[in-house]
Amino acid sequence: MAVATLCFVVMQSMAKHVGKELPPFEVAFFRNLFGLVALTPLFLRHGLEPLRTDRIGLHAFRGALQSVGMLCFFTGVTLIPLSTVTALSFTAPLVGSLLAVLVLGEMVRARRITAMIVGFAGVLVVLRPGLTEISPGALLILASTISWGSTMVLIKILSRTDSSATQTAYMGLFMTPITLVPALFVWEWPTLEHYGWFVLIGAAGTLGHLCFAQAFRLADATAVLPLDFLRLLWATLAGWVVFSELPDVWAWIGGTVIFSSATYIAYRESRLARADRPV
């Protein structure tokens, strides 16, 4: 999980850099294309075994949903500071928790409801509506978190039968052609240097998703989710050093509130699951 947080922020930083020179939709497409290429060693070692699944339709739906979120994210990350992007991204587990209740029929209790309300209040701290103008970049990042939160529910369902390698492989196979379509409408031919960045973005993104999925397979969410807060540290550091973005204290305050709420929900779910488990 620690490696995943670093990979995601590195990928976001490079996408922010390249997204100021090329259309973000195009950057998203190349991230998926080279992310798929990064899986070559996996296929060389296991052949087509990672593609074995009985849930191809669910993988396709996940690919479409996550493509929309990625297009929103890669556009939004070029418009607002990395620390604000990361703080708002902590909303995704709250969305996932809400959808788990609505879609999967999970039981909702007073503490869980309270934690979700507090978490969404943290979003208001970051955005401060009425005190400052809500930028299009922030709205795009929020849209991407809704997409990612929805994807978390699908990952939860797919993890019951499919490995992290299978999920990552199908993510690349579906998202690459899907993101190519909007990229064609704003296409600009990249330079050789851009292709170098795309390779690094794809590799970092794929490694991050592999580590993220594997972390949840190896340990309880309560053990790995607290480490996700490292993303805010890496993002603030990268924003300051690379993009000369001054750390946003409101992003830290709101991000901490959002993250704490999401972590508490995961902790409660884990404890309740153990209590319901037959001895």
Side-chain angles (χ1 to χ4, degrees):
M1 189 63 171
V3 175
T5 63
L6 184 58
C7 286
F8 287 145
V9 173
V10 168
M11 180 197 72
Q12 293 163 13
S13 300
M14 291 188 290
K16 183 180 181 74
H17 169 70
V18 181
K20 295 189 178 203
E21 301 176 1
L22 290 172
F25 284 9
E26 191 174 337
V27 178
F29 161 68
F30 278 111
R31 176 263 177 268
N32 289 313
L33 177 63
F34 285 100
L36 190 58
V37 172
L39 290 174
T40 301
L42 178 70
F43 289 113
L44 289 177
R45 181 177 179 182
H46 300 287
L48 297 180
E49 183 62 26
L51 299 181
R52 189 183 299 276
T53 181
D54 294 323
R55 295 188 162 186
I56 190 69
L58 203 55
H59 283 290
F61 180 57
R62 177 199 170 178
L65 188 63
Q66 200 164 339
S67 292
V68 174
M70 180 176 287
L71 293 173
C72 290
F73 186 90
F74 273 52
T75 304
V77 79
T78 65
L79 301 175
I80 59 176
L82 276 176
S83 57
T84 304
V85 169
T86 303
L88 290 175
S89 72
F90 288 143
T91 311
L94 299 178
V95 175
S97 182
L98 178 61
L99 290 176
V101 174
L102 299 176
V103 178
L104 301 181
E106 292 186 2
M107 184 177 296
V108 58
R109 295 175 172 85
R111 292 185 183 181
R112 188 172 180 180
I113 294 174
T114 302
M116 283 192 285
I117 292 174
V118 171
F120 288 118
V123 176
L124 298 180
V125 173
V126 178
L127 297 179
R128 304 188 306 286
L131 299 177
T132 183
E133 183 180 356
I134 300 177
S135 70
L139 293 177
L140 285 168
I141 296 301
L142 282 177
S144 74
T145 62
I146 294 174
S147 169
W148 179 235
S150 304
T151 301
M152 283 182 170
V153 177
L154 297 179
I155 292 175
K156 195 170 186 178
I157 297 172
L158 288 169
S159 294
R160 297 170 184 167
T161 55
D162 293 350
S163 69
S164 55
T166 298
Q167 293 185 56
T168 304
Y170 275 110
M171 181 185 72
L173 285 171
F174 282 113
M175 291 181 69
T176 300
I178 291 174
T179 52
L180 173 61
V181 176
L184 290 175
F185 288 94
V186 292
W187 191 268
E188 295 180 18
W189 284 107
T191 64
L192 189 60
E193 179 183 345
H194 289 144
Y195 282 111
W197 284 113
F198 292 147
V199 171
L200 295 175
I201 290 172
T206 296
L207 179 60
H209 277 287
L210 280 170
C211 291
F212 186 86
Q214 191 65 11
F216 279 91
R217 288 182 65 86
L218 294 176
D220 288 341
T222 51
V224 296
L225 267 182
L227 289 172
D228 194 37
F229 194 73
L230 286 172
R231 285 195 293 122
L232 188 54
L233 174 63
W234 305 141
T236 301
L237 185 62
W240 179 44
V241 174
V242 181
F243 301 104
S244 299
E245 298 171 350
L246 294 177
D248 187 346
V249 64
W250 294 109
W252 270 89
I253 295 173
T256 302
V257 172
I258 299 168
F259 176 82
S260 300
S261 301
T263 303
Y264 177 76
I265 290 173
Y267 169 74
R268 287 289 302 169
E269 288 177 351
S270 178
R271 287 201 59 178
L272 292 171
R274 283 197 295 267
D276 293 339
R277 192 177 300 157
V279 178

